[in-house]
């Protein structure tokens, strides 16, 4: 199983956005279709809500791809460009 680590830059990300941000789908429409067909699980449970809030520590699976959602390293929202240059 392929694993993707996705680092949040906020409190949560909507499930359909997560699929787009990780390039598992090419459009919001495709994400909505895949979710509504029951192809996506969040923490081992089929998730049918397209706007389900996915938070740090949760795991999303689509097919043979697992997304580990990592918590925002700076939950106070103090993001600056200097931190991003180190990546």
């Amino acid at each position: 199983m392929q694993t993707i680590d996705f680092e949040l830059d906020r409190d949560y990300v909507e499930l359909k956005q997560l699929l787009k941000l990780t390039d598992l789908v090419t459009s919001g429409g495709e994400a909505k279709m895949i979710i509504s067909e029951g192809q996506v699980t969040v923490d081992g449970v089929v998730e049918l809500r397209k706007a389900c809030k996915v938070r740090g520590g949760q795991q999303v699976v689509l097919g043979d791809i697992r997304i580990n959602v990592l918590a925002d390293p700076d939950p106070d929202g103090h993001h600056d460009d200097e931190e991003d240059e180190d990546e």
Side-chain angles (χ1 to χ4, degrees), residues 2-87:
Q2 179 185 348
T3 301
I4 299 170
D5 288 334
F6 180 83
E7 191 170 299
L8 283 174
D9 60 359
R10 57 196 140 217
D11 289 338
Y12 67 87
V13 63
E14 290 184 358
L15 183 56
K16 65 181 183 245
Q17 291 177 319
L18 178 63
L19 297 179
K20 284 177 53 179
L21 292 169
T22 53
D23 292 326
L24 297 180
V25 297
T26 56
S27 69
E30 184 181 356
K32 290 177 183 180
M33 183 180 68
I34 287 171
I35 295 165
S36 68
E37 290 175 350
Q39 296 184 39
V40 180
T41 64
V42 177
D43 292 337
V45 178
V46 173
E47 182 56 72
L48 300 174
R49 297 174 295 159
K50 298 155 198 69
C52 167
K53 294 178 181 177
V54 180
R55 300 180 188 278
Q58 292 191 290
Q59 233 179 44
V60 175
V61 175
L62 171 61
D64 64 346
I65 300 172
R66 175 180 36 227
I67 306 167
N68 292 323
V69 181
L70 307 176
D72 184 350
D74 187 2
D76 295 329
H78 299 293
H79 300 282
D80 60 45
D81 295 335
E82 292 177 17
E83 290 177 358
D84 294 338
E85 290 176 6
D86 293 339
E87 293 178 9

